[in-house]
């Protein structure tokens, strides 16, 4: 044993070396906690670990050293050696011994940091650290280790025969008990045990850094256990080898157990298994054989796994697993001294049962003392609001809330949150383009800039519109927003109509219902209604309504046109009809033109979507027309030449000399009159074919999009599909990249379906065009069973309450990430500036929005791609 008055230089050097190794464990704790916590709290982890080292050493020097190693009062507490002079050149042993013991104290304190990470206030943590280092740890340390520097045990547990060579209980279990009391009061992190997450742990920032921390702790453990011998003698080799084997068993045992249980092997069981094995071996590392060390370390790691599951079962959030590693494995390691330790090496003179009783007494004493003392301290801090950070501060991270650190990711998040909560898009992310987060911020700024431009443009249109525009909640028909024209029409001040029922501005016989507004929206027509002005008088209106969706929340948009002036003009026209018939007729024509213009504006958006269709049909008409025009010119030339030859023959053939007549015959033979007659017939046949083609195309155009189908009508779906196929017939032909696309029809028996025929045909055409584009863009097709050539399959069938139309193809499959959002508004895979690529979105709106049906798509690598439409039967 080392003496406080003098010391052997080799022993002193050994103890100094071990002290530095134990100090290295602080770096290991820091890396372990930083790697297992989220990046938004890493600065807080660094500061906590540095401060608890400094504060624990300081208060151990002020108070703890004297309480632990001072003159014993009834074996319970020390009474002197406070504020020791460590710089005395005459008594080097005091400085060396204090250095080693201060590192032990700091280790016990740091255990608390990992367990309570990510939600404890720095002030509260430092307060617990000071109490732990200056009072809780020294008092129990006095019971176990008082007098070890002189070789005469003075603590009541040591006198009873309790053995804890390097601190399985005095350091590790004590730190674990304090951590348990703290997290019981502190509570779990926000979202740690949510219904969605259940028992899944939160993502760690950098597990390799945590793994490095575990390796540093293992390395420092050689100083932790080896230095506890206090001298460099023959026993050191046994202590260090047992320390190594305990850690080895702690790593291997969880891996073998997980393999046997068929569970995934990840870093944490290996990392914490090594530490649990080291904690378990610490109490009796001087008194085990190699087999004993392996056994103690292996059981320690299994105890760690079991206790970790137990914590989760009771929703106790230990971030780094400090309690299973230090408390559970520490208890086992302390009891293992009585079960497996060499009684001769222990030197207590107790029997096996007596030694086990002494070890149990130490475990119970440590638990009662450290848990109760910490619990009182933590409850007091909670009452003073010094324990836990607020949920908001926990959400943004302790780096910012506790230390005001700048975090690029949090800066982006805060701007995104501001945009989402306020709708004010003027703020921008301060982007550093030389970082990954900065590049994300830069692109986000461009997206917001484009969105702001679009929103500003839309707001300008709405705010300057002459018609009133109102949005309503779809469930309760409460007004959500109004434009300035609405306030002008109804005579209200700004804000007076918000969150008011629609009945406040419209007169209804029995009020208004969602069903009524849905009927107006589906009619796609202006409906006459009566409005209520703020002063009480009624005014005539024309009202239109649409149903839209923002996210998952549907809402109505209503458009109001004040027709008071128009009605007044109509009344005046009726009153003066007898006197000014001509003027009345002119005004009526003007009104008719106004209605026609209004109807054209209403249909403008709808007609714009059919531009591509009309362009395709025009192309189909142009080709046969060009062909006919060219052939007519040739036919005219042939006829002229034939007539000239016949006239010449009639005028000059009679009475000509033989030579002249022979020359004329040669001329007629050169013209090849028989060939002209044959070719002339063929020309007219080709003209007839072209004419028939034009008539067929025009007929398909009328069938596909005639005005009488703008409203609901019962139609044969197969007719619409066949019409679409004829319109795209040219695109089905072979190209340089692929062969001819085969169409397979598998039509079932279907009843007539009530629908908007032209709009439904439009959806069919979009889906068929997309399939052809897929073949054209890939230049190949997948081989699916017998389908070795490009193939589109049309299949229909009737279900119980609806009909199902399936349009499938054996082209390239649609990737899963695209498939998830293929029907989202504004989603397109086309590059900027190359068309819109919104065919699927438009088709989804037609089938789901207009026909209340379903449209879904599924695609598999090596299989068919299906677009399935389901329409309800009424």
């Amino acid at each position: 044993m080392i003496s406080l008055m003098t010391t052997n230089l080799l022993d002193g050097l050994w103890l100094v070396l071990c002290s530095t190794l134990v100090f290295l464990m602080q770096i290991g704790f820091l890396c372990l906690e930083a790697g297992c916590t989220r990046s938004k709290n890493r600065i807080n982890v660094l500061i906590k670990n540095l401060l608890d080292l400094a504060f624990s050493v300081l208060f151990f020097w002020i108070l703890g050293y004297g309480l632990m190693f001072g003159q014993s009062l009834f074996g319970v507490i020390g009474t002197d050696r406070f504020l020791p002079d460590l710089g005395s050149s005459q008594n080097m042993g005091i400085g060396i011994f204090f250095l080693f013991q201060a590192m032990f104290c700091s280790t016990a304190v740091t255990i608390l940091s990992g367990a309570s990470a990510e939600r404890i206030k720095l002030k509260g943590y430092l307060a617990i650290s000071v109490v732990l280092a200056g009072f809780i740890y020294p008092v129990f340390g006095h019971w176990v280790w008082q007098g070890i520097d002189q070789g005469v045990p003075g603590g009541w547990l040591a006198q009873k025969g309790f053995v804890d060579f390097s601190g399985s209980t005095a350091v590790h279990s004590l730190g674990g008990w304090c951590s348990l009391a703290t997290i019981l009061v502190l509570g779990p992190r926000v979202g740690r045990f949510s219904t969605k997450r259940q028992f899944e742990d939160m993502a760690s920032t950098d597990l390799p850094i945590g793994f490095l921390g575990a390796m540093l702790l293992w390395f420092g453990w050689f100083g932790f256990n080896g230095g506890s011998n206090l001298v460099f003698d023959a026993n050191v080799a046994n202590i260090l080898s047992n320390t190594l084997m305990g850690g080895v068993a702690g790593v291997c045992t969880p891996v073998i157990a997980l393999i046997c249980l068929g569970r995934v092997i990840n870093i944490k069981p290996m990392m914490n298994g090594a530490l649990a094995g080291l904690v378990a071996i610490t109490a009796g590392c001087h008194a085990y054989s190699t087999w004993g060390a392996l056994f103690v370390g292996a059981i320690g790691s299994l105890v760690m796994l079991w206790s970790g599951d137990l914590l989760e079962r009771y929703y106790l959030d230990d971030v780094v697993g400090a309690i299973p590693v230090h408390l559970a494995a520490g208890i086992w390691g302390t009891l293992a001294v009585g079960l497996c330790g060499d009684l001769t090496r222990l030197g207590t003179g107790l029997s096996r049962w007596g030694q086990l009783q002494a070890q149990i007494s130490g475990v119970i004493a440590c638990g009662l003392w450290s848990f109760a003392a910490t619990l009182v301290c933590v409850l007091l801090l909670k009452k003073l609001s010094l324990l836990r950070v607020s949920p908001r501060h926990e959400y943004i991270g302790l780096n910012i809330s506790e230390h005001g650190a700048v975090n690029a990711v949090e800066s982006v998040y805060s701007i995104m949150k501001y945009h989402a909560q306020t709708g004010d898009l003027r703020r921008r992310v301060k982007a550093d383009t030389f970082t990954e987060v900065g590049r994300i911020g830069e692109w986000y700024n461009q997206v917001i800039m484009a969105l702001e431009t679009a929103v500003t443009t839309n707001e300008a249109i709405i705010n300057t519109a002459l018609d009133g525009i109102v949005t309503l909640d779809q469930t309760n028909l409460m007004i959500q927003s109004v434009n300035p024209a609405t306030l002008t029409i109804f005579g209200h001040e700004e804000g007076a109509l918000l969150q008011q029922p629609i009945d406040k501005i419209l007169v209804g016989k029995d009020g208004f219902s969602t069903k009524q507004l849905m009927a107006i929206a589906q009619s796609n027509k202006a409906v006459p209604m009566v409005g209520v002005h703020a002063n009480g008088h009624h005014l005539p209106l024309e009202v239109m309504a649409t149903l839209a969706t923002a996210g998952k929340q549907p809402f109505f948009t209503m458009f109001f046109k004040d027709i008071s002036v128009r009605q007044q003009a109509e009344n005046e026209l009726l009153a003066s009809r007898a006197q000014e018939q001509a003027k009345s007729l002119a005004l009526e024509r003007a009104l008719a033109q106004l209605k026609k213009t209004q109807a054209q504006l209403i249909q403008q958006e709808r007609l714009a979507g059919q531009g591509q269709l009309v362009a395709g049909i025009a192309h189909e008409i142009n080709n046969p027309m060009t062909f006919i025009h060219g052939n007519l010119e040739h036919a005219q030339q042939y006829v002229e030449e034939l007539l000239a030859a016949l006239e010449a023959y009639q005028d000059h053939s009679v009475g000509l000399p033989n030579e002249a007549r022979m020359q004329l015959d040669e001329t007629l033979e050169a013209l090849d009159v028989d060939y002209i007659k044959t070719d002339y017939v063929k020309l007219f046949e080709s003209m007839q074919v072209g004419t028939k083609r034009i008539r067929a195309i025009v007929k398909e155009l009328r069938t596909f999009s005639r005005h009488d189908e703008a409203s609901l009508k019962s139609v044969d779906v197969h007719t619409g599909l066949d019409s679409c196929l004829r319109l795209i017939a040219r695109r089905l032909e072979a190209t340089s990249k692929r062969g001819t696309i085969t169409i397979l029809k598998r039509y079932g028996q279907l009843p007539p379906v009530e629908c908007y025929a032209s709009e439904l045909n439009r959806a069919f055409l979009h889906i068929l065009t997309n399939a052809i584009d897929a073949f054209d863009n890939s230049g190949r097709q997948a081989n699916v069973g017998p389908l070795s050539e490009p193939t589109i399959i049309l299949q229909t069938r009737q279900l119980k309450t609806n009909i199902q139309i399936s349009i499938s193809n054996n082209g390239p499959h649609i990737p899963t990430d695209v498939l998830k959002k293929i029907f989202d508004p504004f989603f397109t895979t086309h590059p900027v500036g190359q068309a819109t690529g919104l065919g699927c979105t438009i088709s989804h709106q037609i089938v789901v929005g207009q026909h209340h049906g379903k449209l879904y798509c599924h695609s598999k690598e090596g299989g068919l791609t299906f677009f399935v439409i389901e329409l309800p039967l009424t």
Side-chain angles (χ1 to χ4, degrees):
M1 296 295 177
I2 191 170
S3 171
L4 289 177
M5 301 304 296
T6 60
T7 183
N8 180 281
L9 289 178
L10 179 59
D11 294 339
L13 179 61
W14 171 244
L15 204 56
V16 169
L17 175 61
C18 290
S19 299
T20 58
L21 289 177
V22 179
F23 183 88
L24 185 66
M25 294 177 72
Q26 294 295 322
I27 303 175
F29 279 120
L30 186 149
C31 292
L32 179 66
E33 185 178 349
C36 293
T37 53
R38 291 168 288 184
S39 59
K40 64 182 180 180
N41 301 307
R42 293 182 91 174
I43 294 176
N44 177 257
V45 169
L46 303 180
I47 292 175
K48 277 198 311 177
N49 277 266
L50 180 60
L51 290 181
D52 71 31
L53 171 65
F55 275 79
S56 62
V57 171
L58 177 62
F59 280 87
F60 184 72
W61 174 73
I62 294 173
L63 182 62
Y65 184 78
L67 294 177
M68 188 167 179
F69 295 106
Q71 185 65 35
S72 182
L73 179 64
F74 305 115
V76 176
I77 197 168
T79 57
D80 60 2
R81 297 188 186 180
F82 301 107
L83 301 172
D85 183 6
L86 306 177
S88 173
S89 60
Q90 298 178 352
N91 196 354
M92 180 178 61
I94 295 178
I96 296 175
F97 187 71
F98 175 84
L99 175 65
F100 186 70
Q101 294 300 327
M103 294 300 99
F104 268 49
C105 176
S106 181
T107 299
V109 173
T110 307
I111 293 171
L112 174 65
S113 175
S116 61
E118 298 197 309
R119 74 268 201 201
I120 192 170
K121 289 184 177 180
L122 182 62
K123 295 177 182 178
Y125 174 75
L126 289 180
I128 301 173
S129 299
V130 167
V131 174
L132 180 56
F135 184 63
I136 298 175
Y137 170 77
V139 169
F140 185 79
H142 183 91
W143 301 348
V144 179
W145 287 334
Q146 199 282 335
I148 62 170
D149 54 337
Q150 302 297 333
V152 180
W156 68 272
L157 278 175
Q159 292 175 356
K160 193 174 180 178
F162 177 74
V163 174
D164 189 2
F165 185 75
S166 297
S168 286
T169 290
V171 176
H172 297 285
S173 287
L174 184 138
W177 284 115
C178 296
S179 299
L180 179 60
T182 302
I183 68 170
L184 278 171
V185 178
L186 192 62
R189 290 167 289 176
V190 173
R192 172 64 176 89
F193 296 110
S194 64
T195 303
K196 181 179 180 181
R197 184 181 298 277
Q198 295 183 348
F199 297 117
E200 180 184 350
D201 199 1
M202 290 182 168
S204 303
T205 298
D206 195 344
L207 281 178
I209 291 295
F211 198 83
L212 173 63
M215 296 297 292
L216 289 173
L217 286 170
W218 194 342
F219 181 62
W221 227 288
F222 291 115
F224 196 86
N225 289 352
S228 296
N229 197 49
L230 298 182
V231 294
F232 188 78
D233 59 16
N235 201 32
V236 169
N238 181 54
I239 293 170
L240 297 182
S241 62
N242 283 343
T243 300
L244 175 64
M245 299 310 289
V248 168
V251 172
C252 296
T253 304
V255 173
I256 295 173
L258 291 173
I259 291 175
C260 293
L261 294 173
R263 293 168 62 178
V264 176
I265 301 174
N266 53 44
I267 287 182
K268 281 195 172 182
M270 293 188 293
M271 184 170 64
N272 287 344
L275 299 180
L278 292 166
V279 169
I281 201 68
T282 294
C285 58
H286 67 306
Y288 294 134
S289 65
T290 302
W291 284 106
L294 287 169
F295 174 75
V296 172
I299 299 301
S301 64
L302 293 178
V303 168
M304 177 272 300
L305 290 176
W306 171 78
S307 57
D309 292 339
L310 189 65
L311 286 180
E312 289 191 346
R313 186 181 306 169
Y314 290 99
Y315 303 109
L316 297 177
D317 186 11
D318 180 355
V319 177
V320 301
I323 294 172
V325 168
H326 297 279
L327 174 56
I331 291 174
W332 157 247
T334 305
L335 298 178
V337 173
L339 294 172
C340 308
D342 187 335
L343 297 179
T344 303
R345 295 184 188 181
L346 293 177
T348 60
L350 299 175
S351 65
R352 178 70 64 188
W353 172 242
Q355 188 63 55
L356 182 59
Q357 287 180 312
Q359 299 303 111
I360 294 173
S361 299
V363 169
I364 295 174
C366 178
L368 292 175
W369 164 248
S370 55
F371 183 85
T374 306
L375 188 62
V376 171
C377 177
V378 173
L379 289 174
L380 180 61
L381 290 172
K382 182 179 180 181
K383 189 171 183 179
L384 297 174
S385 300
L386 293 175
L387 186 62
R388 179 156 185 163
V389 300
S390 67
R392 179 178 177 275
H393 286 175
E394 184 178 344
Y395 173 76
I396 65 175
L398 303 187
N399 293 349
I400 296 175
S401 63
E402 288 283 284
H403 310 292
V406 177
N407 187 310
V409 176
E410 291 298 334
S411 176
V412 175
Y413 285 168
S414 63
I415 294 297
M416 289 180 174
K417 184 177 180 181
Y418 176 82
H419 289 161
Q421 290 180 343
T422 65
D424 182 2
L425 305 178
R426 291 175 295 178
R427 287 192 181 182
R428 296 289 183 268
V429 176
K430 294 181 179 179
D432 181 2
T433 56
F434 295 100
T435 65
E436 292 182 358
V437 176
R439 294 180 65 186
I440 293 173
E442 183 180 12
W443 282 108
Y444 178 73
N445 285 341
Q446 294 190 25
V447 171
I448 291 299
M449 188 179 300
L451 179 60
E452 184 181 19
T453 301
V455 170
T456 302
T457 302
N458 289 338
E459 287 181 348
I461 294 172
I462 293 172
N463 291 334
T464 57
L466 298 179
D467 293 347
I469 304 174
V470 172
T471 60
L472 306 174
D473 188 291
Q474 192 243 6
T475 56
N476 55 22
L477 302 185
M478 301 294 285
I479 298 175
Q480 302 298 312
S481 66
V482 298
N483 71 331
T486 302
L487 300 177
T488 303
I489 291 172
F490 296 101
H492 288 278
E493 297 182 356
E494 186 175 358
L497 294 178
L498 298 181
Q499 298 304 320
Q500 297 295 318
I502 191 64
D503 307 72
K504 188 175 179 68
I505 58 175
L506 288 179
V507 176
K509 183 177 180 181
D510 299 315
F512 290 91
S513 65
T514 302
K515 185 177 181 180
Q516 290 175 312
L517 286 184
M518 184 70 74
I520 297 175
Q522 291 178 346
S523 70
N524 201 25
K525 294 179 180 179
V527 178
M529 285 190 178
V530 178
V532 182
H533 197 271
N535 59 18
H537 78 268
H538 291 179
L539 61 155
L541 302 171
E542 279 188 349
V543 180
M544 293 186 66
T546 61
L547 179 63
T549 303
K552 295 184 179 179
Q553 184 63 39
F555 65 93
F556 285 108
T557 302
M558 299 190 71
F559 304 88
F560 302 100
K561 179 182 289 295
D562 183 357
I563 59 173
S564 300
V565 175
R566 192 175 75 188
Q567 279 198 352
Q568 182 179 358
E570 290 174 348
N571 293 334
E572 291 177 356
L573 285 172
L574 292 174
S576 60
R577 182 180 297 273
Q579 300 176 0
E580 302 181 3
Q581 185 66 32
K583 184 185 294 185
S584 297
L585 292 174
L587 288 174
E588 286 177 1
R589 285 195 297 270
L591 288 172
Q593 183 62 36
L594 178 60
K595 290 181 179 179
K596 181 179 178 181
T597 302
Q598 184 180 22
Q600 290 173 345
L601 290 174
I602 293 172
Q603 297 296 331
Q604 181 176 4
E605 180 180 355
R606 186 177 177 184
L607 292 176
Q610 298 175 347
Q612 183 179 3
L613 174 62
V614 174
I617 295 174
H619 177 74
E620 292 292 333
I621 294 174
N622 183 62
N623 288 339
M625 283 295 294
T626 303
F627 177 78
I628 293 171
H629 179 72
N631 286 342
L632 285 174
E633 290 181 353
H634 290 297
Q636 182 180 4
Q637 183 179 353
Y638 287 155
V639 171
E640 290 176 354
E641 291 175 353
L642 180 60
L643 292 176
L646 293 174
E647 290 177 358
Y649 182 80
Q650 291 175 352
D651 294 341
H652 304 290
S653 62
V654 180
L656 287 177
N658 291 335
E659 183 180 352
R661 187 166 183 171
M662 291 177 61
Q663 185 177 0
L664 181 60
D665 290 338
E666 290 176 358
T667 301
L668 293 176
E669 182 179 357
L671 289 175
D672 197 356
V673 174
D674 292 336
Y675 176 77
I676 291 174
K677 291 179 180 179
T678 302
D679 197 34
Y680 183 72
V681 172
K682 292 181 180 179
L683 286 175
F684 269 91
E685 288 177 352
S686 65
M687 285 187 287
Q688 290 175 350
V689 172
T691 304
K692 290 180 180 179
R693 176 65 175 158
I694 294 173
R695 293 181 65 190
I697 292 174
V698 171
K699 181 179 179 180
E700 294 304 329
L701 174 60
R702 294 180 61 189
T703 301
F704 185 77
S705 180
R706 57 179 182 265
H707 293 294
D708 60 356
E709 292 186 350
S711 59
L712 286 171
K713 185 177 181 181
S714 294
V715 299
D716 183 0
V717 172
H718 295 151
T719 301
L721 288 170
D722 293 339
S723 175
C724 292
L725 291 175
R726 285 190 286 271
L727 289 175
I728 60 172
R730 286 289 298 278
R731 292 207 58 191
L732 299 174
E733 296 174 359
T735 66
S736 59
K737 293 183 178 181
R738 59 163 174 79
T740 301
I741 298 175
T742 302
I743 301 296
L744 297 181
K745 298 180 183 180
R746 298 171 180 172
Y747 290 166
Q749 292 294 329
L750 297 183
V753 178
E754 190 175 60
C755 64
Y756 297 100
S758 60
E759 290 298 295
L760 190 58
N761 287 347
R762 180 181 172 194
F764 295 156
L765 192 64
H766 277 307
I767 296 173
L768 289 168
T769 302
N770 285 344
I772 297 172
D773 289 342
F775 286 123
D776 291 344
N777 293 335
S778 66
R780 61 180 179 82
Q781 67 281 339
N783 293 328
V784 182
L787 304 180
S788 59
E789 296 297 330
T791 305
I792 296 176
I793 304 172
L794 303 179
Q795 186 170 358
T796 64
R797 61 173 179 166
Q798 180 179 353
L799 304 177
K800 290 183 179 180
T801 59
N802 55 17
I803 66 167
Q804 188 181 85
I805 303 126
S806 172
I807 303 176
S808 58
N809 66 83
N810 65 338
H813 89 292
I814 302 174
T816 302
D817 57 335
V818 176
L819 198 61
K820 291 180 179 179
K821 49 189 176 182
I822 193 171
F823 299 123
D824 289 354
F826 308 114
F827 173 75
T828 174
T829 58
H830 286 196
V832 175
Q834 297 184 12
T836 62
L838 299 178
C840 290
T841 300
I842 296 171
S843 299
H844 188 270
Q845 177 62 27
I846 292 170
V847 174
V848 179
Q850 293 184 348
H851 292 85
H852 308 290
K854 296 180 181 179
L855 172 59
Y856 52 90
C857 174
H858 55 88
S859 181
K860 184 178 180 181
E861 180 72 40
L864 296 176
T865 296
F866 288 87
F867 281 85
V868 181
I869 298 173
E870 292 185 0
L871 299 175
L873 292 173
T874 55

